[in-house]
Amino acid sequence: MTNTCDLLLTNATILTMDERYTRYAAGAGAVAITGDSLVAVGPYASHFTATQTIDCGGQALLPGLINAHTHAPMTLLRGLADDLRLDVWLLGYMMPVEREFVNPDFVRLGTGLACAEMIRSGVTCFADMYYYEAAVAEATAAAGMRAVCGQTVLKFPTPDADSFEDSLALARDFIITWKNHPLIVPAVSPHAPYTCTPEILHACAALAAEFDVPLHTHLSETLLEVENSRRDYGMPVVPWVKKQGLFEAKVLAAHCVHIDEGEIRTLKNAGVGVAHNPTSNLKLASGVAPVVAMLNAGLNVGLGTDGPASNNDLDMFTELHLAAILAKGITNDPTVLPARQALAMATRLGARALHIGHLTGTLEPGKRADLILLDLATLHNSPTFERDPNAIYSQIVYAAKSTDVTAVMCNGRWLMRDRALLTLDVKDLQLAAGDYAKRIDGFLIKREESVLQKLIAIGGAVEQESFEVQAKVRLADDAKVLEVIAGDAVSVLRAVHYHEFDTYFVFDDPAQGRLRFREDEFINAQGEVTNTRTRLTLTGAQREQKAGSVLLSRSRYLAPATHTLRFYREYFKPTTEREIEKDRRRWLVVFQGEELFVNLDRVSKPALPGVYVEIKARTWSRRDADHKAVLITELLARLGATAKDTVQEEYVDLPA
Amino acid sequence: MTNTCDLLLTNATILTMDERYTRYAAGAGAVAITGDSLVAVGPYASHFTATQTIDCGGQALLPGLINAHTHAPMTLLRGLADDLRLDVWLLGYMMPVEREFVNPDFVRLGTGLACAEMIRSGVTCFADMYYYEAAVAEATAAAGMRAVCGQTVLKFPTPDADSFEDSLALARDFIITWKNHPLIVPAVSPHAPYTCTPEILHACAALAAEFDVPLHTHLSETLLEVENSRRDYGMPVVPWVKKQGLFEAKVLAAHCVHIDEGEIRTLKNAGVGVAHNPTSNLKLASGVAPVVAMLNAGLNVGLGTDGPASNNDLDMFTELHLAAILAKGITNDPTVLPARQALAMATRLGARALHIGHLTGTLEPGKRADLILLDLATLHNSPTFERDPNAIYSQIVYAAKSTDVTAVMCNGRWLMRDRALLTLDVKDLQLAAGDYAKRIDGFLIKREESVLQKLIAIGGAVEQESFEVQAKVRLADDAKVLEVIAGDAVSVLRAVHYHEFDTYFVFDDPAQGRLRFREDEFINAQGEVTNTRTRLTLTGAQREQKAGSVLLSRSRYLAPATHTLRFYREYFKPTTEREIEKDRRRWLVVFQGEELFVNLDRVSKPALPGVYVEIKARTWSRRDADHKAVLITELLARLGATAKDTVQEEYVDLPA
């Protein structure tokens, strides 16, 4: 009895990319496919009777490439801004444009464009992380590609959620909806340790574990991230996220540029998959990941393009080539990361890094039929040597181009044949993308005058926690305040005393917000100045959201003031300036289990009578903000303040 | 009166790549060409009356790219051997194959193949360095490309010359023949400081100066080169070659990976052009050149692919991309080497580095018409943003591929239109290249079969006298030996004392023999190490021919071990290794009128009891061997050795 199959691919040089790098010369084996799966690979397959047989004409037949980390919809932002500092690029261009433009339509279109580009360059599967991830999943499934789709969670408001609670709810819905799709593996994506709270990391890991889906995040991308982690938590990033329970989930960690030997062991023990993104890491000057050490430790390290806004394309052949040569150049050893190992990163190891090694990544019976055909008889790959069995990997990694891919199949379905895309209309996608580009260009040109834009352009601006909960009262004297601070109702965690000199830059257009240059002189018990600090704070205009006598504010950007007041005056060209000078005693206290700041101010410029008491808290969560507003109101009552004592204005707005 | 021209190119986005990066939007200017030259570029050109007008359909029109360093004929060795140490790759594969195969036919064919590939990827001009450079020049001129062609000079014999005097004579003839060619600029190429004598460097510089042609060389490619220069001459490479008068010529220096700030200034003052080869430098693990520092110093730094055997292609778009991102990653600054500066390296600066900036490198009236058309409306370059004037450079450097080049003109002649090559037949070239590949494969396969052939391939192996007559005995102590040596029976001609460290490479096939890497530390009377020596010895398998207790051996090859143990390990790939360590006192004595060697050994690894005495002689004559066997037996008796003390095995075969 003869075995049968739907489709037989014959006369190809077959690279299975299995553990033993089994390969079959052209004519020495075949690939038999039935439905969505491989049923036989090699000489045995040659004897199958097939409904359809395709002669591959001596091309190389290998597993479809796996792009282990990207943000597919960002094709629509490709080339928007380059050769900039990371913070200027991210905070000055990417995030503002995303806030304005990202919606399900944008995401679907960008994903379609990305899928077309990836299919053309031999990618059958990718790991994504973005907003409105359901739209990414829809567009990917429509294109016929496989993907691990991660719904992003951040502590900031995002284009698709006002708070992280909303993001988490979105992620849960997304996972439930897509859990059993044949092409899409839903995932949750806490963006990065530094953009998430410990609470978010815990919640994401629990969610991923609950549904047994991957968790896709950024880890140790920049040196700054590691330095901040050491400063804030006394340890580098990997042990810290481990402590937050992140590794309870099946994690795919992108970048891992700045990790040490111990962290590599931790990742290995936790079964974490890694996505190495050499182009992005170089272009954004993040550094060079210790790929050889990670591979030697047995980690599943895949290769990714990262988003097309930081790459600027989705060409896995570029990453293959760069991964192989960069590792050599950086370790001073030309024998490391040989070609076939690089190709394994883009196939077998990549699939495992995504935690879908059982589905794809090699040409082995039982796995899905995800494969590509590659023409190696090109001008730029002539001649061909046969002596060294590794020569074909060398051809693919060191000389082949993505344009040498002639055919792509995913899940048993042809997505491209003879270089013609079968599931997407490129012209339509390009036209629609062009429309978005025009609108984005217009938006940015209009924003050229923005103070925030200019603040960001000089670097260092970080968005503060979204919700500042604050209340201010004027009292006749400080007696009652000092009594409460010294009493049992609160416990003091920290106390400081300083003189604060504020200069407010005010602009014609109130929508620009106000920029404060603030200089603090810290004062010790002897009344001596021990230290100074300067800061810029941009406060957005739409800050007023009342909750009783408490204000909830948004849009607050902080930057260290590394230049002089004169510099900023000339740089920002404010319409007017106002100065405030005050003496401040400041306590961090715990009141009914919550941390609150209490400021006791005497304003000397302009000279204002009495003392002012401000009680403040910051949080990322709207619900938490409401809770803290109640506590602040209660503490104010203990200070003897009544509603009539409430001061709504900022000092700068008080009449002198 | 209207201006006229032969050809007008309209409706292209024109990037002139001149000093001010002048560019014209599609429709806002044209390029007018007459004969081999540009006569007008920009809005003024739009009003020319032309014999022929071509609508460029909105494509980008820019100067042809300049590949500032390559070895074009090495396309025929592309992918032959990869992921190896530089010395194994060069001495083990490239040089032996070149010695066997390089001739004018090989060079013409390889250059034709290289030109086809370069034209396809937008290159109009390259700087070459190889053997039979006249054949390179012929093939290049036939393909219609521009090139600076350097005839190589080395202190070793080369495929085209038996001595460096012959090479220099070849170079002189070559320069005289090609001096006034419209496309070819002849040059002389002393290969590198470490492969040339000071005399060669002087002579090359004088030759180049005499004919006012460029001198193209490799400079400071590896750290080893710099360390050796410091050790041998007390200074790094650049000051040393300056001292040899090299900079009397117009120099194009490839690589410059390991140079300091002072050397950069020296290069600048000497008007040296630099070719940066990022792919080759990473792939061969040479390091990363200080490109940003060189550019900041005002050096003309071009971009090169290096030879296709170390790259493995000739794709300048890969180099553009890599140069731009690698500089950022290495300097931790994402703003350095912005896209347009990278493109300048591949055009204007490259032409200047080759000392032909007056001919090509920018689109300016008076220069030769060397230009390309590039389709930026591709899927992988969609969408397009207009806000940032640098966005188009970003598109070209970060997302365009060489396959986006649609048309190439050099010296006013179309070499490619609509992606069709007009001066070369690719199929013919590929077929002929395939024939060479088969022959080279065969040559290497035959060589790989034999350890002796591999030893000979890396040079220096000499066959020892055929007959080694030797006997070895084990004694309890050295008393009797020292007594005989000090006595009258023998007269001592020479005495040495050393520690010997042997590593034996053992192969699966015993017919291959055994290869010993031997390191001797010579010890003086005070017990201090005064000198060291390393050697390779290949001992054939069929050594056993007994004559009493004396062995006669054959097939012994000796070579100085000029490389490290690690080199030989990777090159010969032994199945196993065994180590022997011993203390040896060795005398050359005269006994009954014949010279014999007496070795007194204590073996410490493995720790063997007692002492071993070897008595040896070598000869070409069988009869003489028999005579010496008798003498050796007699001398052994005087040492008190009996037949039972005889040791037949080599140390490496003794049980530990």
Side-chain angles (χ1 to χ4, degrees):
Chain A
M1 198 190 94
T2 328
N3 286 301
T4 61
C5 64
D6 294 346
L7 175 65
L8 197 64
L9 302 178
T10 62
N11 195 24
T13 300
I14 302 169
L15 304 177
T16 67
M17 296 310 291
D18 66 10
E19 282 285 354
R20 288 169 300 118
Y21 293 95
T22 306
R23 60 189 202 108
Y24 304 101
V31 172
I33 298 158
T34 291
D36 59 7
S37 295
L38 301 167
V39 290
V41 178
Y44 173 63
S46 303
H47 305 294
F48 273 55
T49 300
T51 311
Q52 189 193 9
T53 298
I54 294 176
D55 183 327
C56 298
Q59 294 180 87
L61 195 169
L62 55 152
L65 305 183
I66 291 169
N67 184 349
H69 178 63
T70 191
H71 311 285
M74 293 181 88
T75 41
L76 294 180
L77 306 179
R78 176 207 323 266
L80 174 65
D82 284 302
D83 299 326
L84 299 170
R85 289 171 47 131
L86 181 62
D87 49 1
V88 175
W89 175 77
L90 191 67
L91 301 168
Y93 292 92
M94 293 302 124
M95 286 188 166
V97 169
E98 286 181 330
R99 272 195 290 272
E100 186 73 17
F101 287 95
V102 171
N103 59 38
D105 173 65
F106 176 103
V107 166
R108 246 185 310 267
L109 174 63
T111 302
L113 200 65
C115 286
E117 186 185 350
M118 286 195 274
I119 293 168
R120 277 235 181 118
S121 54
V123 175
T124 52
C125 174
F126 62 99
D128 194 72
M129 178 199 294
Y130 209 60
Y131 313 112
Y132 296 109
E133 196 67 27
V136 173
E138 281 163 27
T140 303
M145 290 184 79
R146 193 179 305 286
V148 173
C149 292
Q151 169 66 37
T152 301
V153 184
L154 282 123
K155 61 187 178 188
F156 319 114
T158 57
D160 57 359
D162 288 337
S163 67
F164 74 79
E165 289 97 337
D166 288 357
S167 289
L168 280 167
L170 261 179
R172 171 176 289 269
D173 288 349
F174 172 63
I175 290 168
I176 291 169
T177 306
W178 289 87
K179 186 80 179 75
N180 295 306
H181 194 277
L183 290 169
I184 304 301
V185 175
V188 60
S189 282
H191 173 268
Y194 61 95
T195 52
C196 291
T197 61
E199 182 184 357
I200 295 174
L201 298 179
H202 275 288
C204 287
L207 180 63
E210 180 182 347
F211 292 96
D212 190 30
V213 296
L215 181 156
H216 180 186
T217 189
H218 297 107
L219 223 60
S220 285
E221 181 172 3
T222 66
L223 196 57
L224 182 70
E225 178 184 347
V226 179
E227 284 168 353
N228 288 347
S229 181
R230 285 189 182 279
R231 183 196 63 204
D232 296 341
Y233 311 118
M235 63 186 85
V237 177
V238 171
W240 190 74
V241 297
K242 185 183 177 211
K243 218 172 145 185
Q244 307 318 311
L246 201 73
F247 299 155
E248 303 300 313
K250 300 186 295 192
V251 172
L252 167 62
H255 303 302
C256 298
V257 175
H258 300 279
I259 59 173
D260 62 26
E261 283 292 333
E263 290 176 280
I264 289 174
R265 278 193 301 274
T266 302
L267 293 178
K268 168 68 183 160
N269 293 336
V272 172
V274 173
H276 174 47
N277 304 276
T279 296
S280 169
N281 293 160
L282 288 181
K283 183 157 177 283
L284 298 174
S286 306
V288 180
V291 180
V292 175
M294 290 193 280
L295 288 167
N296 288 346
L299 271 174
N300 291 319
V301 186
L303 276 180
T305 57
D306 205 349
S310 61
N311 183 301
N312 296 350
D313 58 26
L314 294 165
D315 190 332
M316 282 290 288
F317 281 77
T318 304
E319 305 305 324
L320 262 177
H321 179 257
L322 184 55
I325 66 172
L326 184 59
K328 301 177 209 309
I330 288 297
T331 60
N332 298 315
D333 184 348
T335 69
V336 302
L337 234 177
R340 72 178 199 178
Q341 193 179 23
L343 190 58
M345 291 173 74
T347 54
R348 184 178 71 244
L349 297 176
R352 289 188 191 157
L354 269 60
H355 304 278
I356 54 171
H358 56 295
L359 292 177
T360 189
T362 65
L363 299 183
E364 291 175 291
K367 288 205 186 177
R368 299 299 166 271
D370 295 358
L371 54 88
I372 63 174
L373 287 172
L374 191 62
D375 179 9
L376 293 178
T378 60
L379 174 60
H380 54 268
N381 237 323
S382 293
T384 298
F385 293 94
E386 308 279 354
R387 177 192 58 87
D388 182 346
N390 289 320
I392 191 165
Y393 301 107
S394 185
Q395 283 193 291
I396 293 171
V397 172
Y398 299 128
K401 301 179 198 300
S402 58
T403 47
D404 300 338
V405 176
T406 64
V408 176
M409 173 183 282
C410 182
N411 213 46
R413 177 186 184 196
W414 288 112
L415 307 186
M416 181 168 86
R417 283 196 69 187
D418 297 328
R419 292 193 171 84
L421 292 175
L422 303 174
T423 57
L424 290 155
D425 183 327
V426 172
K427 279 293 153 223
D428 278 2
L429 292 168
Q430 284 186 286
L431 272 175
D435 284 347
Y436 262 107
K438 275 200 189 64
R439 287 164 53 204
I440 292 170
D441 265 346
F443 167 75
L444 281 179
I445 288 163
K446 207 176 152 200
R447 279 182 62 106
E448 282 303 283
E449 298 304 313
S450 156
V451 173
L452 172 59
Q453 195 77 356
K454 296 186 84 167
L455 177 61
I456 283 161
I458 54 173
V462 281
E463 193 172 13
Q464 284 288 92
E465 287 91 335
S466 283
F467 298 99
E468 179 165 73
V469 194
Q470 76 162 72
K472 182 157 62 179
V473 294
R474 185 170 57 207
L475 300 175
D477 58 53
D478 59 12
K480 189 71 184 168
V481 179
L482 295 177
E483 185 190 317
V484 170
I485 290 292
D488 294 336
V490 303
S491 60
V492 175
L493 297 180
R494 204 158 64 224
V496 290
H497 180 196
Y498 51 88
H499 285 296
E500 183 176 330
F501 305 86
D502 293 335
T503 304
Y504 284 83
F505 290 174
V506 183
F507 304 95
D508 270 342
D509 175 8
Q512 296 286 6
R514 278 194 299 226
L515 188 68
R516 178 178 65 179
F517 180 87
R518 166 175 165 183
E519 193 171 355
D520 297 337
E521 290 185 351
F522 288 90
I523 291 162
N524 67 9
Q526 287 73 46
E528 299 157 348
V529 175
T530 57
N531 202 2
T532 64
R533 174 179 64 180
T534 50
R535 274 188 183 177
L536 288 178
T537 313
L538 177 66
T539 318
Q542 74 283 39
R543 63 193 302 280
E544 273 70 25
Q545 284 192 273
K546 276 196 211 176
S549 57
V550 175
L551 288 174
L552 302 178
S553 76
R554 276 185 178 275
S555 310
R556 204 164 174 278
Y557 289 85
L558 257 189
T562 47
H563 306 293
T564 62
L565 180 59
R566 190 165 158 266
F567 167 89
Y568 294 112
R569 183 175 292 137
E570 292 186 9
Y571 180 73
F572 287 104
K573 297 187 171 59
T575 315
T576 53
E577 290 179 31
R578 284 184 217 139
E579 291 185 355
I580 300 289
E581 194 179 323
K582 57 179 174 277
D583 180 89
R584 166 170 290 182
R585 298 189 64 184
R586 177 178 176 87
W587 296 272
L588 174 59
V589 302
V590 179
F591 176 64
Q592 298 189 5
E594 295 283 353
E595 293 188 2
L596 301 173
F597 287 98
V598 178
N599 297 335
L600 175 63
D601 296 340
R602 289 178 191 278
V603 180
S604 52
K605 183 178 185 179
L608 300 176
V611 298
Y612 289 82
V613 179
E614 283 183 336
I615 303 181
K616 295 187 177 190
R618 291 200 193 95
T619 179
W620 293 106
S621 154
R622 172 66 199 237
R623 202 172 48 205
D624 187 42
D626 290 337
H627 170 59
K628 283 177 171 154
V630 173
L631 285 185
I632 287 172
T633 309
E634 209 173 309
L635 184 53
L636 281 175
R638 296 200 183 212
L639 299 178
T642 63
K644 73 165 174 49
D645 300 321
T646 300
V647 181
Q648 296 282 8
E649 300 86 357
E650 285 192 74
Y651 291 124
V652 67
D653 296 320
L654 286 172
Chain B
M1 196 190 93
T2 329
N3 285 302
T4 61
C5 63
D6 293 346
L7 175 65
L8 198 63
L9 302 178
T10 62
N11 195 25
T13 300
I14 302 169
L15 304 177
T16 67
M17 296 310 291
D18 66 10
E19 284 284 355
R20 286 170 300 116
Y21 293 93
T22 307
R23 60 189 203 109
Y24 304 102
V31 172
I33 297 158
T34 290
D36 60 8
S37 297
L38 302 167
V39 291
V41 177
Y44 172 63
S46 302
H47 305 294
F48 274 54
T49 301
T51 310
Q52 189 192 8
T53 298
I54 295 175
D55 183 326
C56 298
Q59 293 180 87
L61 195 169
L62 55 152
L65 304 183
I66 291 169
N67 184 349
H69 178 64
T70 191
H71 312 284
M74 294 181 88
T75 41
L76 294 182
L77 306 179
R78 176 208 323 267
L80 175 64
D82 284 302
D83 299 325
L84 298 170
R85 293 171 45 130
L86 179 62
D87 46 7
V88 175
W89 175 78
L90 191 67
L91 301 170
Y93 292 91
M94 294 301 125
M95 287 188 165
V97 170
E98 287 182 328
R99 271 196 291 271
E100 186 73 15
F101 287 95
V102 171
N103 58 38
D105 174 66
F106 175 103
V107 166
R108 246 185 310 266
L109 174 63
T111 303
L113 200 66
C115 286
E117 187 184 349
M118 285 195 275
I119 293 168
R120 276 233 182 120
S121 55
V123 174
T124 53
C125 173
F126 62 98
D128 193 73
M129 178 197 295
Y130 209 59
Y131 313 112
Y132 297 109
E133 196 67 28
V136 174
E138 280 163 29
T140 303
M145 289 184 79
R146 192 180 303 287
V148 173
C149 291
Q151 169 66 39
T152 300
V153 185
L154 282 124
K155 62 186 176 188
F156 317 114
T158 58
D160 57 358
D162 289 335
S163 68
F164 75 80
E165 289 95 339
D166 288 358
S167 288
L168 281 167
L170 262 179
R172 172 176 288 267
D173 287 351
F174 172 64
I175 290 168
I176 291 170
T177 307
W178 290 86
K179 185 81 178 77
N180 295 306
H181 194 277
L183 289 170
I184 304 301
V185 175
V188 60
S189 281
H191 173 266
Y194 61 95
T195 52
C196 292
T197 61
E199 182 184 358
I200 296 174
L201 298 180
H202 275 289
C204 287
L207 181 63
E210 179 183 346
F211 291 96
D212 191 29
V213 296
L215 182 155
H216 181 185
T217 191
H218 297 108
L219 223 60
S220 285
E221 181 172 3
T222 66
L223 196 57
L224 183 69
E225 178 185 347
V226 178
E227 283 168 355
N228 287 347
S229 180
R230 287 189 182 275
R231 182 195 63 201
D232 297 340
Y233 310 119
M235 63 186 85
V237 177
V238 170
W240 190 74
V241 297
K242 185 183 177 212
K243 219 173 144 186
Q244 308 317 312
L246 201 74
F247 298 155
E248 303 300 313
K250 301 185 296 193
V251 172
L252 166 62
H255 302 303
C256 297
V257 174
H258 299 280
I259 59 173
D260 62 27
E261 283 291 336
E263 291 177 279
I264 289 174
R265 278 194 301 276
T266 302
L267 294 178
K268 169 68 182 159
N269 293 336
V272 172
V274 173
H276 174 46
N277 305 275
T279 296
S280 169
N281 293 159
L282 288 181
K283 183 157 177 285
L284 299 175
S286 306
V288 180
V291 181
V292 175
M294 291 194 279
L295 288 167
N296 288 346
L299 271 174
N300 292 319
V301 185
L303 275 180
T305 57
D306 205 349
S310 61
N311 184 301
N312 297 349
D313 59 24
L314 294 164
D315 191 332
M316 282 289 289
F317 282 77
T318 305
E319 305 305 323
L320 261 177
H321 179 257
L322 184 55
I325 66 172
L326 184 60
K328 301 178 210 308
I330 289 295
T331 60
N332 299 316
D333 184 348
T335 69
V336 302
L337 234 177
R340 72 178 199 179
Q341 193 178 23
L343 190 58
M345 292 174 74
T347 54
R348 183 177 73 245
L349 297 176
R352 289 187 190 158
L354 270 59
H355 303 278
I356 55 172
H358 56 295
L359 292 177
T360 189
T362 65
L363 299 182
E364 292 175 290
K367 289 205 184 176
R368 298 299 166 271
D370 296 356
L371 54 87
I372 64 176
L373 287 172
L374 190 62
D375 179 10
L376 294 178
T378 60
L379 174 60
H380 54 266
N381 236 323
S382 292
T384 298
F385 292 94
E386 309 279 354
R387 179 192 58 87
D388 182 346
N390 288 321
I392 191 167
Y393 302 106
S394 184
Q395 283 193 291
I396 293 171
V397 171
Y398 299 127
K401 301 178 198 301
S402 58
T403 46
D404 300 337
V405 177
T406 65
V408 175
M409 173 183 281
C410 182
N411 214 46
R413 178 187 182 194
W414 288 112
L415 307 186
M416 182 168 86
R417 284 195 69 187
D418 296 328
R419 292 194 172 85
L421 292 176
L422 303 174
T423 57
L424 290 156
D425 183 327
V426 172
K427 279 293 154 223
D428 278 1
L429 291 168
Q430 284 186 283
L431 272 176
D435 284 346
Y436 262 107
K438 273 200 191 65
R439 286 165 53 204
I440 293 170
D441 265 346
F443 167 75
L444 282 178
I445 287 164
K446 205 172 155 204
R447 189 196 75 173
E448 301 278 296
E449 284 167 0
S450 151
V451 175
L452 174 60
Q453 288 304 314
K454 289 190 78 168
L455 181 60
I456 287 167
I458 53 173
V462 281
E463 194 171 12
Q464 285 286 92
E465 289 90 335
S466 282
F467 297 98
E468 178 164 73
V469 194
Q470 76 161 68
K472 181 158 64 181
V473 294
R474 183 171 55 205
L475 301 175
D477 58 52
D478 59 11
K480 190 70 184 170
V481 179
L482 296 176
E483 184 191 318
V484 169
I485 291 291
D488 294 336
V490 302
S491 61
V492 173
L493 298 180
R494 204 160 62 224
V496 289
H497 179 197
Y498 52 86
H499 286 296
E500 184 175 330
F501 303 86
D502 293 334
T503 302
Y504 285 82
F505 289 173
V506 183
F507 303 93
D508 269 341
D509 174 7
Q512 297 287 3
R514 278 194 298 227
L515 188 68
R516 178 178 65 181
F517 178 88
R518 166 177 165 182
E519 194 172 353
D520 298 337
E521 289 184 353
F522 290 92
I523 291 162
N524 67 10
Q526 286 73 47
E528 300 158 346
V529 174
T530 57
N531 200 2
T532 63
R533 174 180 64 180
T534 50
R535 274 192 184 172
L536 285 181
T537 314
L538 176 67
T539 318
Q542 73 283 42
R543 62 192 305 280
E544 273 67 26
Q545 286 192 273
K546 276 197 210 172
S549 57
V550 174
L551 288 175
L552 303 179
S553 76
R554 275 183 177 279
S555 311
R556 202 164 177 278
Y557 289 83
L558 256 190
T562 47
H563 306 291
T564 62
L565 179 59
R566 188 163 161 264
F567 168 92
Y568 295 112
R569 184 175 291 138
E570 291 188 14
Y571 179 69
F572 287 105
K573 298 187 172 58
T575 315
T576 53
E577 291 180 29
R578 285 183 218 140
E579 291 185 356
I580 301 291
E581 193 179 325
K582 57 178 175 276
D583 181 88
R584 167 168 288 181
R585 299 189 63 184
R586 178 180 177 85
W587 297 273
L588 174 58
V589 303
V590 179
F591 177 63
Q592 298 186 8
E594 294 286 352
E595 292 187 3
L596 299 174
F597 287 97
V598 178
N599 297 335
L600 174 64
D601 297 341
R602 287 179 191 277
V603 181
S604 53
K605 184 177 186 178
L608 299 177
V611 298
Y612 289 81
V613 180
E614 282 184 336
I615 305 181
K616 294 188 178 190
R618 290 200 195 95
T619 178
W620 291 105
S621 152
R622 173 67 199 237
R623 202 170 51 206
D624 187 40
D626 289 338
H627 169 57
K628 283 177 172 156
V630 172
L631 284 185
I632 287 173
T633 309
E634 211 173 309
L635 183 53
L636 279 175
R638 296 198 182 214
L639 300 177
T642 64
K644 75 165 172 48
D645 300 322
T646 301
V647 179
Q648 296 282 8
E649 299 86 357
E650 287 193 73
Y651 290 125
V652 67
D653 296 320
L654 286 172

